[in-house]
Amino acid sequence: MDIDQTTREPIANEHLAAIRPDMLRFARLQLRDAAAAEDAVQEALLAALANARQFAGRSEAKTWVFGILKNKIVDVIRQQSRSCNISSFSDGEESLDQTFETLFKDNAHWTPASRPRDWGSPEAALRQQHFWGVFEVCLNHLPENTARVFMMREFLDFETPEVCQELGITVSNCNVILHRARNALRLCLERGWFTEGEKTC
Amino acid sequence: MLNCKQATRLMSEAQDHPLALGERLPLRLHLFMCVGCRNYGKQLDFLRAATRELKTGSEPAPKD
């Protein structure tokens, strides 16, 4: 006998309505296309409504619905990657590369100005609404192909070899792209949050 | 000896797959001596923590 049975209930429409804005935000970040994001969220909500699964609470339901949304986004990315060629890298990717190189002296050690700083206890930022706005801006600043690789790896739970396979790029290329993406994001957070953010507070 | 550029590459790859012993030990030695790279590693860990929260939808939504 399931002792939790009395507390479990099917997902309610108002739960879904409350989750929808977060779903849209997530889908827009991943797909960078408002219409495609809207479609993916719509499909995920329909799939959630069609499913009679029961939940022990709001956060469990939200995790489940986000799982459905992720699958929908992966489907869209698969369709897109068949129709466009990611190996055609843009100026954006090249400039990330240059940014990375300028952090180092000729002997490949940090220049004094670029040596990464101690962010203290950055976890506190995760509880601040404004931080998430900054983080989204940083993610949206990544060049398109770099963003795609980073999103697939970090948000859609692909392993690196799967990302490469899906996008038709080599593993070493994939590693370089992820490395540059992470570097760009930490620089962006340092500028947008861990330096200026602290000063204005 | 590893330089900082190589160390950052290994720290990024360590987020994606376990490093080989021949990579892990030189990296540890480098981190022991280099505060900049230690900070870099902590920043990458924080980035991972932030993406985790965003993908489960558990973060507070930014005000528009």
Side-chain angles (χ1 to χ4, degrees):
Chain A
M1 199 178 103
D2 184 359
I3 52 162
D4 278 344
Q5 213 160 25
T6 50
T7 61
R8 297 181 83 83
E9 50 186 68
I11 194 158
N13 282 356
E14 64 260 35
H15 284 184
L16 288 178
I19 300 171
R20 191 173 173 278
D22 289 347
M23 294 172 77
L24 258 182
R25 247 177 0 106
F26 183 78
R28 281 202 199 109
L29 262 180
Q30 303 300 312
L31 295 171
R32 296 185 167 206
D33 175 338
E38 193 86 41
D39 288 349
V41 169
Q42 194 75 8
E43 282 182 35
L45 288 172
L46 285 173
L49 283 171
N51 193 305
R53 251 194 76 173
Q54 313 258 304
F55 297 95
R58 236 168 230 242
S59 83
E60 190 186 310
K62 188 171 184 181
T63 304
W64 176 72
V65 175
F66 260 72
I68 298 176
L69 177 60
K70 264 183 232 165
N71 288 333
K72 299 288 175 197
I73 292 171
V74 169
D75 288 345
V76 176
I77 288 176
R78 289 208 162 115
Q79 280 158 14
Q80 285 177 348
S81 65
R82 272 195 288 272
S83 59
C84 73
N85 181 12
I86 186 152
S87 60
S88 58
F89 282 99
S90 66
D91 296 346
E93 268 76 24
E94 206 154 289
S95 99
L96 280 198
D97 240 25
Q98 283 164 4
T99 307
F100 177 74
E101 294 297 332
T102 58
L103 300 175
F104 300 96
K105 298 184 286 196
D106 288 344
N107 66 3
H109 290 275
W110 301 107
T111 66
S114 64
R115 186 175 297 122
R117 287 181 229 158
D118 185 356
W119 287 356
S121 309
E123 300 75 24
L126 301 177
R127 290 184 293 280
Q128 298 190 35
Q129 288 182 325
H130 179 53
F131 168 78
W132 294 104
V134 174
F135 192 41
E136 282 192 26
V137 169
C138 291
L139 286 167
N140 280 324
H141 269 157
L142 289 177
E144 197 165 344
N145 290 329
T146 300
R148 168 114 322 163
V149 173
F150 183 79
M151 299 297 190
M152 286 176 81
R153 172 72 190 108
E154 297 289 342
F155 291 100
L156 303 173
D157 302 320
F158 283 86
E159 293 297 328
T160 317
E162 296 172 320
V163 178
C164 316
Q165 204 185 2
E166 289 285 338
L167 301 177
I169 54 181
T170 65
V171 173
S172 69
N173 200 346
C174 220
N175 285 336
V176 171
I177 294 170
L178 285 169
H179 182 196
R180 299 295 187 269
R182 290 174 178 135
N183 186 60
L185 287 170
R186 70 158 196 103
L187 283 174
C188 183
L189 288 180
E190 185 151 281
R191 275 193 296 263
W193 181 263
F194 289 103
T195 328
E196 276 108 68
E198 275 168 11
K199 267 186 223 149
T200 54
C201 282
Chain B
M1 278 294 289
L2 277 188
N3 58 44
C4 297
K5 208 188 265 191
Q6 292 164 328
T8 63
R9 181 179 64 78
L10 288 179
M11 283 187 279
S12 175
E13 286 188 27
Q15 302 241 319
D16 301 316
H17 59 83
L19 297 179
L21 193 65
E23 297 171 318
R24 234 168 34 232
L25 293 181
L27 179 60
R28 274 180 63 182
L29 185 64
H30 180 91
L31 291 180
F32 183 69
M33 295 180 302
C34 178
V35 65
C37 285
R38 278 206 298 281
N39 286 339
Y40 189 94
K42 284 191 231 160
Q43 293 179 2
L44 289 194
D45 289 342
F46 172 72
L47 201 55
R48 177 58 62 83
T51 54
R52 286 244 162 97
E53 293 230 358
L54 194 59
K55 85 177 168 193
T56 53
S58 57
E59 87 292 352
K63 280 186 194 140
D64 291 322

